[in-house]
Amino acid sequence: MGDSHVFTTVKPLQKRLHKELENSTIGFFPTMGALHHGHIELVKQAKKENDVVVVSIFVNPTQFNNPDDLEKYPRMLDKDLELLDEVGDVIVFAPDVKTVYPDNYENLKIDLGKLGETMEGEFRPGHFDGVMNVVKRFFDIVKPTRAYFGMKDFQQVAVIKHLVKVTNDPVEIVVCDIVREESGLASSSRNVRLTEEQKEEALIIIETLRFLKSIVDQYPPQKAWKKAKQFFRKGTLELEYLEIIHPLTLKRLEKWTPGAHACIVAYAGEVRLLDNIQLIPFEEK
Ligand code: PAF
């Protein structure tokens, strides 16, 4: 237990990190706040693996293509800090928009190729440009040894790995398993916007993914995809996409391949929920 140290501007944070803590390993976990159990597990892992842990809390406007979604994104800094205090000794960076994007900020443009054309890239144009810009900006400020990302944002992980490859940043990307509520619902900051009834209804997401995994041996991908979509229609959520993809190229699969993965996005009311599952282990088939 111990108090978190909160910084809102760049220079004092850098002074603390790069002068006082020279030669220490820095674990960095970028978040948009509204922290939940899943985030806290990840902070604990980062604390085990590094001398110092920095958590950024910043709702990044440039990655929202829907202004309504940006406005409704939950913001609860005080509660976030309380949760981080329970873990103890975490350095928090909670800047405002001008600090992250000063007037002289030069927008970074990285071609994602096919990685950016599918799924989130298709349904949220510009989203990954915003994610890459903010993550690169934070990497430049924090200069982490390791940076932590949750597997729930499967495509985001692929995008960040691409970013690091292109920019050559000396940071290790650590990918952490999806943390789920007891019901199976993937933990997400957006879950606070769900009613109890919507939370129940949202279970169709994980049920569909598990159903899909259970029929991999019976059908080729296209047929399994159709069956899973039928299964999903038993529920009340609105499907945005369900994709069966190659784990590295993210291309839609024609035939099963090791590491085959499924990603899904659906709306419970106005709340956009995403989840994914590995369908076939890397070692098999
Ligand atoms: O995954 C998120 O919460 C955000 O996309 C991230 C990585 C914090 C960038 O704003």
Side-chain angles (χ1 to χ4, degrees), residues 111-131:
D111 183 17
L112 279 172
K114 293 271 173 233
L115 283 186
E117 284 170 18
T118 161
M119 302 191 290
E120 297 301 279
E122 185 184 342
F123 285 92
R124 301 182 74 187
H127 169 67
F128 286 131
D129 284 337
V131 170

Side-chain angles (χ1 to χ4, degrees), residues 26-30 42-43 45-50 53 139 145-150 171-176:
I26 301 176
F28 173 54
F29 179 25
L42 216 139
V43 175
Q45 178 178 342
K47 280 203 66 165
K48 274 194 204 132
E49 295 172 355
N50 302 276
V53 170
F139 282 178
T145 319
R146 299 183 186 87
Y148 292 77
F149 292 87
V171 50
E172 181 190 338
I173 303 301
V174 183
V175 185
C176 308

Side-chain angles (χ1 to χ4, degrees), residues 262-274:
C263 294
I264 187 168
V265 168
Y267 280 88
E270 285 184 354
V271 186
R272 189 173 189 270
L273 299 170
L274 77 171

Side-chain angles (χ1 to χ4, degrees), residues 77-190:
L77 185 60
D78 288 346
K79 196 160 160 257
D80 289 344
L81 296 179
E82 264 173 41
L83 274 177
L84 290 172
D85 274 351
E86 279 173 32
V87 185
D89 255 345
V90 171
I91 296 179
V92 179
F93 183 42
D96 64 9
V97 175
K98 272 272 171 238
T99 302
V100 177
Y101 300 115
D103 289 339
N104 63 351
Y105 179 77
E106 275 184 38
N107 203 51
L108 179 77
K109 199 87 195 116
I110 289 182
D111 183 17
L112 279 172
K114 293 271 173 233
L115 283 186
E117 284 170 18
T118 161
M119 302 191 290
E120 297 301 279
E122 185 184 342
F123 285 92
R124 301 182 74 187
H127 169 67
F128 286 131
D129 284 337
V131 170
M132 285 193 292
N133 270 274
V134 80
V135 169
K136 172 66 180 149
R137 174 91 173 107
F138 285 149
F139 282 178
D140 288 347
I141 294 169
V142 176
K143 301 197 186 345
T145 319
R146 299 183 186 87
Y148 292 77
F149 292 87
M151 183 71 157
K152 185 167 76 65
D153 296 293
F154 187 78
Q155 190 174 10
Q156 174 169 278
V157 169
V159 166
I160 299 298
K161 285 184 174 166
H162 180 80
L163 170 75
V164 167
K165 205 165 153 195
V166 172
T167 58
N168 239 331
D169 275 320
V171 50
E172 181 190 338
I173 303 301
V174 183
V175 185
C176 308
D177 285 347
I178 299 177
V179 176
R180 298 186 180 279
E181 297 186 3
E182 227 172 278
S183 63
L185 182 67
S187 294
S188 164
S189 301
R190 293 170 193 265

